[in-house]
PDB file of all heavy atoms in Angstrom:
ATOM      1  N   GLY A 206    -137.957  78.230-153.294  1.00 97.00           N
ATOM      2  CA  GLY A 206    -136.611  77.886-152.983  1.00 97.00           C
ATOM      3  C   GLY A 206    -135.996  78.799-151.934  1.00 97.00           C
ATOM      4  O   GLY A 206    -136.686  79.653-151.377  1.00 97.00           O
ATOM      5  N   GLU A 207    -134.708  78.490-151.614  1.00 98.00           N
ATOM      6  CA  GLU A 207    -133.983  79.272-150.645  1.00 98.00           C
ATOM      7  C   GLU A 207    -134.108  80.682-150.818  1.00 98.00           C
ATOM      8  O   GLU A 207    -134.301  81.523-149.894  1.00 98.00           O
ATOM      9  CB  GLU A 207    -132.593  78.831-150.556  1.00 98.00           C
ATOM     10  CG  GLU A 207    -131.749  79.574-149.454  1.00 98.00           C
ATOM     11  CD  GLU A 207    -130.388  78.924-149.405  1.00 98.00           C
ATOM     12  OE1 GLU A 207    -129.964  78.053-150.174  1.00 98.00           O
ATOM     13  OE2 GLU A 207    -129.589  79.492-148.553  1.00 98.00           O
ATOM     14  N   GLU A 208    -133.974  81.217-152.091  1.00 98.00           N
ATOM     15  CA  GLU A 208    -134.038  82.643-152.359  1.00 98.00           C
ATOM     16  C   GLU A 208    -135.210  83.400-151.956  1.00 98.00           C
ATOM     17  O   GLU A 208    -135.227  84.445-151.297  1.00 98.00           O
ATOM     18  CB  GLU A 208    -133.777  82.947-153.849  1.00 98.00           C
ATOM     19  CG  GLU A 208    -132.302  82.790-154.254  1.00 98.00           C
ATOM     20  CD  GLU A 208    -132.217  83.260-155.779  1.00 98.00           C
ATOM     21  OE1 GLU A 208    -132.233  84.417-155.980  1.00 98.00           O
ATOM     22  OE2 GLU A 208    -132.138  82.268-156.674  1.00 98.00           O
ATOM     23  N   THR A 209    -136.382  82.663-152.061  1.00 98.00           N
ATOM     24  CA  THR A 209    -137.659  83.320-151.759  1.00 98.00           C
ATOM     25  C   THR A 209    -137.835  83.314-150.182  1.00 98.00           C
ATOM     26  O   THR A 209    -138.212  84.308-149.629  1.00 98.00           O
ATOM     27  CB  THR A 209    -138.781  82.432-152.379  1.00 98.00           C
ATOM     28  OG1 THR A 209    -138.604  82.487-153.767  1.00 98.00           O
ATOM     29  CG2 THR A 209    -140.143  83.101-151.950  1.00 98.00           C
ATOM     30  N   PHE A 210    -137.389  82.327-149.572  1.00 98.00           N
ATOM     31  CA  PHE A 210    -137.496  82.256-148.160  1.00 98.00           C
ATOM     32  C   PHE A 210    -136.611  83.320-147.589  1.00 98.00           C
ATOM     33  O   PHE A 210    -137.002  84.007-146.602  1.00 98.00           O
ATOM     34  CB  PHE A 210    -137.096  80.834-147.503  1.00 98.00           C
ATOM     35  CG  PHE A 210    -138.201  79.848-147.522  1.00 98.00           C
ATOM     36  CD1 PHE A 210    -138.374  78.988-148.583  1.00 98.00           C
ATOM     37  CD2 PHE A 210    -138.993  79.658-146.492  1.00 98.00           C
ATOM     38  CE1 PHE A 210    -139.472  78.092-148.602  1.00 98.00           C
ATOM     39  CE2 PHE A 210    -140.009  78.714-146.505  1.00 98.00           C
ATOM     40  CZ  PHE A 210    -140.226  77.905-147.519  1.00 98.00           C
ATOM     41  N   ARG A 211    -135.416  83.528-148.061  1.00 98.00           N
ATOM     42  CA  ARG A 211    -134.517  84.418-147.487  1.00 98.00           C
ATOM     43  C   ARG A 211    -134.996  85.938-147.711  1.00 98.00           C
ATOM     44  O   ARG A 211    -134.847  86.806-147.010  1.00 98.00           O
ATOM     45  CB  ARG A 211    -133.055  84.259-148.019  1.00 98.00           C
ATOM     46  CG  ARG A 211    -132.434  83.024-147.463  1.00 98.00           C
ATOM     47  CD  ARG A 211    -130.933  82.888-147.563  1.00 98.00           C
ATOM     48  NE  ARG A 211    -130.435  81.758-147.007  1.00 98.00           N
ATOM     49  CZ  ARG A 211    -130.061  81.503-145.768  1.00 98.00           C
ATOM     50  NH1 ARG A 211    -130.412  82.343-144.813  1.00 98.00           N
ATOM     51  NH2 ARG A 211    -129.563  80.374-145.347  1.00 98.00           N
ATOM     52  N   ALA A 212    -135.570  86.069-148.998  1.00 98.00           N
ATOM     53  CA  ALA A 212    -136.038  87.418-149.412  1.00 98.00           C
ATOM     54  C   ALA A 212    -137.182  87.854-148.563  1.00 98.00           C
ATOM     55  O   ALA A 212    -137.272  88.994-147.961  1.00 98.00           O
ATOM     56  CB  ALA A 212    -136.385  87.393-150.915  1.00 98.00           C
ATOM     57  N   LEU A 213    -138.199  87.024-148.306  1.00 98.00           N
ATOM     58  CA  LEU A 213    -139.225  87.423-147.483  1.00 98.00           C
ATOM     59  C   LEU A 213    -138.829  87.442-145.973  1.00 98.00           C
ATOM     60  O   LEU A 213    -139.376  88.260-145.199  1.00 98.00           O
ATOM     61  CB  LEU A 213    -140.365  86.390-147.540  1.00 98.00           C
ATOM     62  CG  LEU A 213    -141.170  86.317-148.932  1.00 98.00           C
ATOM     63  CD1 LEU A 213    -142.278  85.263-149.079  1.00 98.00           C
ATOM     64  CD2 LEU A 213    -141.718  87.763-149.258  1.00 98.00           C
ATOM     65  N   GLY A 214    -137.854  86.702-145.580  1.00 98.00           N
ATOM     66  CA  GLY A 214    -137.299  86.892-144.273  1.00 98.00           C
ATOM     67  C   GLY A 214    -136.746  88.156-144.052  1.00 98.00           C
ATOM     68  O   GLY A 214    -136.824  88.786-142.874  1.00 98.00           O
ATOM     69  N   ALA A 215    -136.066  88.786-145.026  1.00 97.00           N
ATOM     70  CA  ALA A 215    -135.528  90.060-144.999  1.00 97.00           C
ATOM     71  C   ALA A 215    -136.556  91.189-144.722  1.00 97.00           C
ATOM     72  O   ALA A 215    -136.391  92.061-143.840  1.00 97.00           O
ATOM     73  CB  ALA A 215    -134.725  90.373-146.198  1.00 97.00           C
ATOM     74  N   VAL A 216    -137.727  91.014-145.415  1.00 97.00           N
ATOM     75  CA  VAL A 216    -138.796  91.924-145.203  1.00 97.00           C
ATOM     76  C   VAL A 216    -139.339  91.803-143.741  1.00 97.00           C
ATOM     77  O   VAL A 216    -139.692  92.905-143.131  1.00 97.00           O
ATOM     78  CB  VAL A 216    -139.890  91.742-146.242  1.00 97.00           C
ATOM     79  CG1 VAL A 216    -141.034  92.783-146.039  1.00 97.00           C
ATOM     80  CG2 VAL A 216    -139.378  91.948-147.651  1.00 97.00           C
ATOM     81  N   ALA A 217    -139.478  90.553-143.318  1.00 97.00           N
ATOM     82  CA  ALA A 217    -139.915  90.236-141.878  1.00 97.00           C
ATOM     83  C   ALA A 217    -139.145  90.979-140.992  1.00 97.00           C
ATOM     84  O   ALA A 217    -139.550  91.583-139.956  1.00 97.00           O
ATOM     85  CB  ALA A 217    -139.956  88.883-141.696  1.00 97.00           C
ATOM     86  N   ARG A 218    -137.805  90.984-141.095  1.00 96.00           N
ATOM     87  CA  ARG A 218    -136.860  91.476-140.159  1.00 96.00           C
ATOM     88  C   ARG A 218    -137.011  93.074-140.186  1.00 96.00           C
ATOM     89  O   ARG A 218    -136.936  93.739-139.135  1.00 96.00           O
ATOM     90  CB  ARG A 218    -135.420  91.193-140.439  1.00 96.00           C
ATOM     91  CG  ARG A 218    -135.107  89.671-140.089  1.00 96.00           C
ATOM     92  CD  ARG A 218    -133.616  89.496-140.197  1.00 96.00           C
ATOM     93  NE  ARG A 218    -133.034  89.633-141.427  1.00 96.00           N
ATOM     94  CZ  ARG A 218    -132.999  88.738-142.348  1.00 96.00           C
ATOM     95  NH1 ARG A 218    -133.445  87.556-142.098  1.00 96.00           N
ATOM     96  NH2 ARG A 218    -132.534  88.977-143.623  1.00 96.00           N
ATOM     97  N   GLU A 219    -137.211  93.705-141.298  1.00 95.00           N
ATOM     98  CA  GLU A 219    -137.176  94.944-141.582  1.00 95.00           C
ATOM     99  C   GLU A 219    -138.492  95.708-140.840  1.00 95.00           C
ATOM    100  O   GLU A 219    -138.469  96.684-140.194  1.00 95.00           O
ATOM    101  CB  GLU A 219    -137.212  95.467-142.994  1.00 95.00           C
ATOM    102  CG  GLU A 219    -137.316  96.867-143.282  1.00 95.00           C
ATOM    103  CD  GLU A 219    -137.277  97.247-144.816  1.00 95.00           C
ATOM    104  OE1 GLU A 219    -136.923  96.304-145.608  1.00 95.00           O
ATOM    105  OE2 GLU A 219    -137.632  98.355-145.151  1.00 95.00           O
ATOM    106  N   TYR A 220    -139.670  94.964-141.003  1.00 95.00           N
ATOM    107  CA  TYR A 220    -140.891  95.457-140.482  1.00 95.00           C
ATOM    108  C   TYR A 220    -141.383  94.825-139.226  1.00 95.00           C
ATOM    109  O   TYR A 220    -142.455  95.019-138.746  1.00 95.00           O
ATOM    110  CB  TYR A 220    -141.965  95.434-141.523  1.00 95.00           C
ATOM    111  CG  TYR A 220    -141.782  96.521-142.516  1.00 95.00           C
ATOM    112  CD1 TYR A 220    -140.977  96.279-143.732  1.00 95.00           C
ATOM    113  CD2 TYR A 220    -142.456  97.659-142.412  1.00 95.00           C
ATOM    114  CE1 TYR A 220    -140.885  97.316-144.701  1.00 95.00           C
ATOM    115  CE2 TYR A 220    -142.428  98.700-143.304  1.00 95.00           C
ATOM    116  CZ  TYR A 220    -141.610  98.419-144.381  1.00 95.00           C
ATOM    117  OH  TYR A 220    -141.547  99.456-145.381  1.00 95.00           O
ATOM    118  N   GLY A 221    -140.682  93.847-138.661  1.00 96.00           N
ATOM    119  CA  GLY A 221    -140.997  93.113-137.489  1.00 96.00           C
ATOM    120  C   GLY A 221    -142.190  92.157-137.651  1.00 96.00           C
ATOM    121  O   GLY A 221    -143.098  92.096-136.774  1.00 96.00           O
ATOM    122  N   LEU A 222    -142.321  91.431-138.856  1.00 97.00           N
ATOM    123  CA  LEU A 222    -143.412  90.636-139.178  1.00 97.00           C
ATOM    124  C   LEU A 222    -143.114  89.217-138.663  1.00 97.00           C
ATOM    125  O   LEU A 222    -141.977  88.843-138.733  1.00 97.00           O
ATOM    126  CB  LEU A 222    -143.625  90.661-140.688  1.00 97.00           C
ATOM    127  CG  LEU A 222    -143.716  92.070-141.443  1.00 97.00           C
ATOM    128  CD1 LEU A 222    -143.948  91.792-142.919  1.00 97.00           C
ATOM    129  CD2 LEU A 222    -144.722  92.903-140.791  1.00 97.00           C
TER     130      LEU A 222
END
Side-chain angles (χ1 to χ4, degrees):
E207 180 177 359
E208 285 186 73
T209 301
F210 277 89
R211 293 198 181 278
L213 290 180
V216 179
R218 287 191 299 274
E219 181 178 343
Y220 282 89
L222 310 183

